[in-house]
Amino acid sequence: MTRRVNEPIWMRPESVPAGRPNERSRAEITAAAVAIADRDGLDAITMRRLASSLATGPASLYRYVANRDELIDLMVDAVAAEYELGGPSGDWLADLVAFAGQARTIMRRHPWVVPLVIGQPSIGPHSLDLIEHILAVLGDHPAPTGAKLQAFAMLNGVVALFVQNELAGERRRNGQTIAQWQAAQAAYLHHIAAQGRHPRLARAMTPDPAAVAATDDALDLLTARIMEGLLGGAAAATDRD
Amino acid sequence: MTRRVNEPIWMRPESVPAGRPNERSRAEITAAAVAIADRDGLDAITMRRLASSLATGPASLYRYVANRDELIDLMVDAVAAEYELGGPSGDWLADLVAFAGQARTIMRRHPWVVPLVIGQPSIGPHSLDLIEHILAVLGDHPAPTGAKLQAFAMLNGVVALFVQNELAGERRRNGQTIAQWQAAQAAYLHHIAAQGRHPRLARAMTPDPAAVAATDDALDLLTARIMEGLLGGAAAATDRD
DNA sequence: GCAATTTGCGAACACCGATCGCAAAGTAGA
DNA sequence: TCTACTTTGCGATCGGTGTTCGCAAATTGC
């Protein structure tokens, strides 16, 4: 048997019609992994835990996946399949903003993808569909393709940053409850503020009645401004009705 | 001895004037860790390797640091100390752009901080200096403090994304050379393109003579546009001279 | 000198990703 | 049905990881 691990998982056939047949499938394993990560985060994805959640041994997983990173590639691509991609509406900016909105709900559903966005995951078929969709949306746009791809990367990243901010406080850190951790952090901040060498920080710590509320509009505005800035807002007037 | 790990490392005194004195210091350990990470990446930071680079045993490090995460907090804050913060120039946008420029060179010097920007590092004294600086720069700006802090987070994140794009191809993935990995990825892309269901992707793969070149101006423009968008470019006319 | 207190660190533990080799379970052909 | 042949399932195991424990060593105040 040849062990073709040098090519990406997307090019390796999942099974061949010979020998003992698979008892599981990549999709099944991926779904189980996503379920674990949704509940307990990316660190909870260990080969042993995933295996036992599938009622098998850790070694068996390596028949489906060359290593843990490849498993995560599968997970990311599975999440990319959750987008609902319509055709271009004619208003590229609106389409990009709508895409960002979908990205937000998907990232909130799968918080573990947030840190993966900054990184170099192997691009799978569903991720390629996303790229194709963005290129279609920007079909009439005069920018070079490289700029469009970079804009797409930036769009994903900005949404990730936004969601990360939204979800701050829901993740846990090193066994400690996030509440404990935040309380300890706050104690330190007060300590620093009391020293008087950070006056503006100190003033920022008095609770502000007009606190910033993260509404859905906030992301829309943010992404619209950024994409306008990146892809030349002047070329397309974006006020509808 | 009480083991005060519930409060952040910044509040625990580094040493007490009693008993056997420290043979090392947090700064020394942090510097060694940064040196390793600069050369071999964040994964190379193992307690054993760091210890042996300091000619000691792994267990000794836990007299200075509660766990690996705390060590990384120290590293991040050490990098934050590398900024040179001048006073506000009066042009907040220019100051923010200049800050982003510094962030870029610092992140290029320490590529391992890029994935840490998206995350929840414990904010140390030098990071607090950065926040204080940004708040000072935005002192006259009418936006609420929360919005300013979010803009700061977004600024850091965008620079991280930018540097990540710049450095793509310098990191390695799972033993394989990045060249091998990229070649394999490219093979898959060609395979998909040949199937004809991603026409725009296929066209994007024919090498473009007018490829996008990442110049220094690119980041300046990008950050300027984004910060203008976030903090209301209309409120402050930013054309000088 | 003599507690008291703190640090240094070898040894060990639990857990991780990954590999190896063989038994089990199928297919194709006689 | 029997016999290669091929592929999967997976127990056992390896090297490496973060972290803890307990004791010896080093320093202080008395």
Side-chain angles (χ1 to χ4, degrees):
Chain A
M1 168 196 183
T2 44
R3 275 275 219 158
R4 307 190 291 171
V5 293
N6 282 345
E7 47 189 338
I9 189 171
W10 324 107
M11 293 212 68
R12 297 199 304 270
E14 181 160 0
S15 65
V16 296
R20 180 173 172 175
N22 297 343
E23 292 184 8
R24 275 163 279 270
S25 68
R26 280 181 196 165
E28 196 179 341
I29 290 175
T30 307
V34 168
I36 293 177
D38 285 349
R39 184 165 28 237
D40 296 330
L42 199 58
D43 290 345
I45 299 283
T46 68
M47 303 307 268
R48 289 167 219 269
R49 173 154 177 196
L50 176 57
S52 86
S53 107
L54 290 163
T56 181
S60 305
L61 298 177
Y62 290 92
R63 292 285 176 192
Y64 298 85
V65 138
N67 48 44
R68 198 187 102 115
D69 280 7
E70 236 179 46
L71 173 69
I72 290 173
D73 289 341
L74 286 180
M75 294 168 65
V76 169
D77 204 61
V79 165
E82 296 183 12
Y83 285 82
E84 292 178 12
L85 307 174
S89 73
D91 182 349
W92 60 265
L93 184 56
D95 287 348
L96 291 184
V97 169
F99 182 91
Q102 271 199 71
R104 171 170 172 263
T105 70
I106 290 176
M107 288 188 192
R108 287 179 63 96
R109 189 151 55 222
H110 308 291
W112 47 271
V113 294
V114 169
L116 294 178
V117 168
I118 246 183
Q120 40 182 1
S122 174
I123 298 171
H126 294 108
S127 304
L128 283 181
D129 288 344
L130 298 188
I131 295 178
E132 181 72 20
H133 174 253
I134 260 61
L135 288 180
V137 159
L138 292 174
D140 295 335
H141 196 283
T145 310
K148 295 177 183 176
L149 293 178
Q150 258 185 311
F152 181 43
M154 202 55 78
L155 185 67
N156 275 322
V158 167
V159 174
L161 283 170
F162 189 88
V163 171
Q164 150 76 21
N165 255 23
E166 274 188 309
L167 297 183
E170 291 190 17
R171 244 167 292 184
R172 34 193 69 244
R173 183 186 159 97
N174 228 55
Q176 245 176 123
T177 330
I178 190 69
Q180 291 175 343
W181 183 77
Q182 277 180 335
Q185 283 282 103
Y188 170 60
L189 284 184
H190 280 100
H191 175 72
I192 290 292
Q195 285 177 214
R197 293 203 297 179
H198 296 71
R200 301 175 194 275
L201 177 68
R203 203 174 328 144
M205 293 186 54
T206 68
D208 192 337
V212 58
T215 62
D216 296 5
D217 300 12
L219 180 62
D220 291 356
L221 241 72
L222 177 65
T223 52
R225 293 248 167 84
I226 291 177
M227 296 322 275
E228 259 179 326
L230 279 182
L231 294 171
T238 55
D239 38 4
R240 307 165 277 174
D241 62 15
Chain B
M1 168 196 184
T2 45
R3 274 274 219 155
R4 309 190 290 171
V5 292
N6 282 345
E7 47 189 337
I9 190 171
W10 324 108
M11 294 211 67
R12 295 199 306 269
E14 182 160 358
S15 65
V16 294
R20 178 173 172 176
N22 296 344
E23 292 183 8
R24 274 164 278 271
S25 69
R26 280 183 195 164
E28 195 179 343
I29 290 175
T30 307
V34 168
I36 292 177
D38 284 349
R39 183 164 26 236
D40 295 330
L42 199 58
D43 290 344
I45 299 283
T46 69
M47 302 309 266
R48 289 166 219 272
R49 172 154 177 197
L50 175 59
S52 86
S53 107
L54 290 163
T56 180
S60 306
L61 298 177
Y62 289 90
R63 292 284 176 193
Y64 298 86
V65 138
N67 49 44
R68 198 186 102 115
D69 280 8
E70 235 178 47
L71 173 69
I72 289 173
D73 289 341
L74 286 180
M75 293 169 65
V76 170
D77 203 62
V79 165
E82 296 183 12
Y83 284 82
E84 293 178 11
L85 307 175
S89 73
D91 182 348
W92 59 266
L93 184 57
D95 287 349
L96 292 184
V97 169
F99 183 91
Q102 270 198 71
R104 172 171 173 263
T105 70
I106 289 176
M107 287 189 193
R108 287 178 63 97
R109 187 152 55 223
H110 308 290
W112 46 271
V113 294
V114 169
L116 294 178
V117 169
I118 247 184
Q120 40 181 1
S122 174
I123 298 172
H126 294 107
S127 304
L128 283 180
D129 288 345
L130 298 188
I131 295 179
E132 182 72 20
H133 174 254
I134 260 63
L135 288 181
V137 159
L138 291 174
D140 295 334
H141 196 282
T145 310
K148 295 177 183 176
L149 292 178
Q150 258 186 312
F152 181 44
M154 203 54 77
L155 186 66
N156 275 321
V158 167
V159 174
L161 283 170
F162 188 88
V163 172
Q164 151 77 21
N165 255 24
E166 275 188 309
L167 297 184
E170 293 190 16
R171 245 166 288 184
R172 35 193 69 242
R173 184 187 160 96
N174 229 56
Q176 246 176 123
T177 330
I178 191 67
Q180 291 174 344
W181 183 77
Q182 277 180 335
Q185 282 283 103
Y188 170 59
L189 284 183
H190 279 99
H191 176 74
I192 290 292
Q195 286 178 212
R197 293 204 297 177
H198 296 71
R200 300 175 195 275
L201 177 67
R203 205 173 326 145
M205 293 185 54
T206 68
D208 192 337
V212 58
T215 62
D216 297 5
D217 300 13
L219 180 61
D220 290 356
L221 241 73
L222 177 65
T223 52
R225 292 247 168 85
I226 291 177
M227 296 322 273
E228 257 178 327
L230 279 183
L231 294 171
T238 54
D239 39 3
R240 309 163 276 173
D241 61 15

